[in-house]
């Protein structure tokens, strides 16, 4: 009887569901894929870029945003909702610095975003935010972190995760391929993120956007050229792996 | 402000006027008078009589204060404690109105405790100082008087901040607050250097407060000495200023001390025989003996002569 319990956000169904929140999670599943990887000295965020219309200016579409010098996030879901959440998070990062002199920890800002999302699941006349976010960064102690939030307001720490369309496929790929060797150095971590995205992105490198944060360095967005370079390297490696396999069989 | 919203801390509403009582947080002044100018001309003279000092050095932060609470010409308490612990790694020296200091320190203790519960670790000394100054700056113009030095040890090592109730928040290596501070600064500026030994630091702090109490009428009683280390704060000693000052008078001039540094062993041998002379100290650290009851014959540097009580 979902239809009787899904109109208002503040109403539980008899079997304990908040249907509006679950519908928000469905909206997230329609968004373009985003993947986050936590390396030893680097954190990587990759997103699938939706192809833009001919006359549209590509640069105005940004799915990876810096929240502060040492934290950034990617999202999947409704872009407009994301804009509101990102703005609130940015203000909170500066407000925190103003009040207590120290920059936010990644966990603090994740908790803030999650609390904000939860508030909207318990208020009258509002609907939940239709986004899931992947928040990455380094804390003062130099440890890399990756958190994921969802529309219900829960958050968890992850070693690697994916959200959005085909998130399940990407996550399975990551579960198979996230090993200590895979994140041994920065370049490997970047390649892992791109390989994970290539599983689900149709047309290769030009539909991928990538950003990294290295310890004590600001956010770096990869240019299209750099991504292409990584993609060609990955394809080379794949070919070599294929050759080795065929050699073995012979 | 983020943290203040989370803590649900609210400044009092000073806009409501009641007919007979002064608005919350202000003085009852005739209509049309600005409270501050009224107080300066007609109000009771709140003497901020005290000498407190704090300085940071390699081995932590030293906080020292006298113990006289005065109210105008009357000594309200000759043995008050002007250094208030906030948590294991943070102390504050207080000066100004004792009531204001005590209250604000309790508020700061509560806020830091809440922060620690939420975040899982205590905030840095810089955060605590910023928080205190932000909370107090909302009462600006209402004659709050809290001049305090926050001394602590956090992830960045020894840290020292000066916070005043108008919202000033300064970082520094040496601070002295109170009516006796000019005298204390004179002594501190002469002998302070970051790489002092712990004994030198104790001696310097006590010497500075003792000399200040000698000249400042509103300071006196005893000298409380605290030391904040990596492992937490420690109550080193409480020594009476009169005794201290007499002992200081009998110390040789610092120039002579420098010469004596060259004749280390001979000086120590001599000192062990003469009880009055507190050992022509080869290093200034030897004056740590001042705090001992019975004087030891052969001072050893590795020993900590001062009583270390941790109440």
């Amino acid at each position: 009887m979902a239809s009787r319990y899904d109109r208002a956000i503040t109403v539980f169904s008899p079997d304990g569901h908040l249907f509006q929140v679950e519908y928000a999670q469905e909206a997230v599943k329609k968004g373009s894929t985003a993947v986050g990887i936590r390396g030893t000295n680097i954190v990587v965020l990759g997103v699938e870029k939706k192809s833009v219309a001919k006359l549209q200016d590509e640069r105005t579409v940004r799915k990876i945003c810096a929240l502060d010098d040492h934290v950034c996030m990617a999202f999947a879901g409704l872009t407009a909702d994301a804009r509101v959440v990102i703005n609130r998070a940015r203000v909170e990062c500066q407000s925190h610095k103003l009040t207590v002199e120290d920059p936010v920890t990644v966990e603090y800002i994740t908790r803030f975003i999650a609390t904000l999302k939860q508030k909207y699941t318990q208020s009258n006349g509002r609907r939940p935010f239709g986004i899931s976010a992947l928040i990455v960064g380094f804390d003062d102690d130099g440890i890399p972190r990756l958190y994921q939030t969802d529309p219900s307001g829960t958050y968890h720490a992850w070693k690697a995760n994916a959200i959005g369309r085909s998130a399940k496929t990407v996550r399975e790929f990551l579960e198979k391929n996230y090993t200590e060797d895979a994140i041994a150095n920065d370049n490997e971590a970047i390649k892992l993120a791109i390989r994970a995205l290539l599983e689900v992105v149709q047309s290769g490198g030009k539909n991928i956007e990538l950003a990294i944060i290295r310890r004590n360095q600001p956010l770096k967005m990869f240019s299209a050229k750099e991504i292409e370079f990584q993609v060609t390297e990955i394809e080379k490696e794949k070919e070599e792996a294929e050759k080795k396999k065929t050699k073995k069989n012979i | 402000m983020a943290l203040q919203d989370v803590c649900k801390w609210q400044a009092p509403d000073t806009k409501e006027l009641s007919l007979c009582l002064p608005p919350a947080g202000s003085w009852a002044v005739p209509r049309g008078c600005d409270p501050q100018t009224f107080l300066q001309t007609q109000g009771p003279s709140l003497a901020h009589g005290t000498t407190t000092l704090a300085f940071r050095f390699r081995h932590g932060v030293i906080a020292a204060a006298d113990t006289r609470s005065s109210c105008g010409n009357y000594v309200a308490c000759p043995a008050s404690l002007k250094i208030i612990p906030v948590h294991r790694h943070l102390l504050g020296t207080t000066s100004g109105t004792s009531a204001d200091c005590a209250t604000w320190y309790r508020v700061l203790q509560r806020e830091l405790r809440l922060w620690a519960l939420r975040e899982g670790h205590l905030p840095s000394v810089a955060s605590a100082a910023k928080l205190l100054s932000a909370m107090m700056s909302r009462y600006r113009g209402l004659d709050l008087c809290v001049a305090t030095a926050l001394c602590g040890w956090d992830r960045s090592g020894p840290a020292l901040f000066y916070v005043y109730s108008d919202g000033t928040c300064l970082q520094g290596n040496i601070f002295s607050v109170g009516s006796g501070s000019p005298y204390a600064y004179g002594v501190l500026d002469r002998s302070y250097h970051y790489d002092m030994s712990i004994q030198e630091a104790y001696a310097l702090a006590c010497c500075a407060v003792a000399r200040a109490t000698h000249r400042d009428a509103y300071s006196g009683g005893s000298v409380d000495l605290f030391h904040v280390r990596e492992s937490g704060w420690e109550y080193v000693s409480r020594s009476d200023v009169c005794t201290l000052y007499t002992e200081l008078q009998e110390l040789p001039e610092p120039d002579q001390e420098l010469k004596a540094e060259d004749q280390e062993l001979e000086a120590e041998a001599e000192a062990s025989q003469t009880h009055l002379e507190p050992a022509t100290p080869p290093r200034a650290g030897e004056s740590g003996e001042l705090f001992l009851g019975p004087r030891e014959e052969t001072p050893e540097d590795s020993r900590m002569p001062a009583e270390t009580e941790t109440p």
Side-chain angles (χ1 to χ4, degrees), chain A residues 92 95-96 98-102 108 111 140, chain B residues 1-3 115 118-119 124 126-127 130 155:
Chain A
E92 177 62 21
S95 199
H96 185 274
L98 184 63
T99 322
V100 296
E101 286 288 340
D102 292 330
Y108 179 93
R111 201 170 352 122
D140 260 345
Chain B
M1 296 288 154
L3 185 59
W115 171 273
R118 285 193 195 104
E119 306 295 324
S124 58
S127 306
K130 200 65 190 292
R155 263 215 314 265

Side-chain angles (χ1 to χ4, degrees), chain A residues 169-233:
Chain A
T169 325
V170 180
R171 207 175 300 128
E172 281 168 7
F173 174 85
L174 287 171
E175 278 173 16
K176 276 202 214 106
N177 291 285
Y178 184 92
T179 57
E180 286 310 310
D181 297 327
I183 53 157
N185 67 32
D186 296 354
N187 221 17
E188 290 302 311
I190 295 173
K191 284 218 204 92
L192 181 61
I194 297 183
R195 273 162 50 210
L197 272 176
L198 284 174
E199 294 280 310
V200 292
V201 165
Q202 270 88 17
S203 21
K206 56 182 167 55
N207 275 3
I208 292 181
E209 204 174 289
L210 198 79
I212 59 165
I213 301 186
R214 286 204 171 91
R215 188 175 291 121
N216 293 327
Q217 288 179 23
L219 170 70
K220 175 176 191 301
M221 299 283 308
F222 271 39
S223 66
K225 240 199 257 175
E226 287 168 316
I227 299 179
E228 269 311 308
F229 175 75
Q230 295 284 351
V231 171
T232 31
E233 271 207 19

Side-chain angles (χ1 to χ4, degrees), chain B residues 94-230:
Chain B
T94 61
S95 163
T97 320
S98 326
D100 288 341
C101 291
T103 312
W104 281 102
Y105 266 92
R106 293 194 67 179
V107 173
L108 184 64
Q109 277 167 356
R110 182 193 72 179
E111 294 307 326
L112 295 187
R113 177 65 183 139
L114 282 173
W115 171 273
L117 283 169
R118 285 193 195 104
E119 306 295 324
H121 61 87
L122 283 163
S124 58
V125 183
S127 306
K130 200 65 190 292
L131 192 58
L132 184 61
S133 85
M135 289 197 285
M136 290 200 293
S137 68
R138 293 221 187 168
Y139 291 82
R140 212 183 143 139
L142 297 176
D143 216 42
L144 240 196
C145 187
V146 175
T148 169
L150 280 165
C151 323
W153 188 296
D154 59 24
R155 263 215 314 265
S156 63
L160 176 58
F161 283 81
Y162 169 69
V163 177
Y164 188 59
S165 44
D166 65 358
T168 308
C169 177
L170 299 170
Q171 186 176 23
N173 279 344
I174 311 177
F175 285 110
S176 178
V177 189
S179 53
S181 61
Y183 313 110
Y185 271 126
V187 176
L188 283 171
D189 288 336
R190 186 183 191 177
S191 314
Y192 168 83
H193 57 99
Y194 186 78
D195 296 304
M196 287 191 287
S197 72
I198 296 179
Q199 290 312 305
E200 285 176 317
Y202 289 170
L204 179 60
C206 288
C207 175
V209 180
R211 292 203 183 276
T213 56
H214 185 66
R215 286 290 172 183
D216 177 34
Y218 298 108
S219 309
S222 315
V223 181
D224 278 332
L225 183 62
F226 283 74
H227 180 187
V228 186
R229 303 162 181 272
E230 195 167 359

Side-chain angles (χ1 to χ4, degrees), chain B residues 248-304:
Chain B
L248 284 171
Q249 290 300 88
E250 289 162 4
L251 271 181
E253 283 301 305
D255 303 322
Q256 290 183 10
E257 281 181 23
L258 284 172
K259 280 190 209 158
E261 268 183 42
D262 302 328
Q263 311 154 23
E264 263 186 311
L265 291 166
E266 296 170 61
E268 272 193 88
E270 275 176 17
S272 62
Q273 286 155 23
T274 53
H275 281 261
L276 277 178
E277 280 273 86
T280 23
R283 278 166 289 277
E286 293 309 293
S287 45
E289 283 189 306
L290 291 173
F291 311 131
L292 280 181
R295 184 132 320 147
E296 313 283 300
E297 293 232 327
T298 43
E300 286 164 4
D301 292 308
S302 54
R303 199 169 27 86
M304 296 272 293

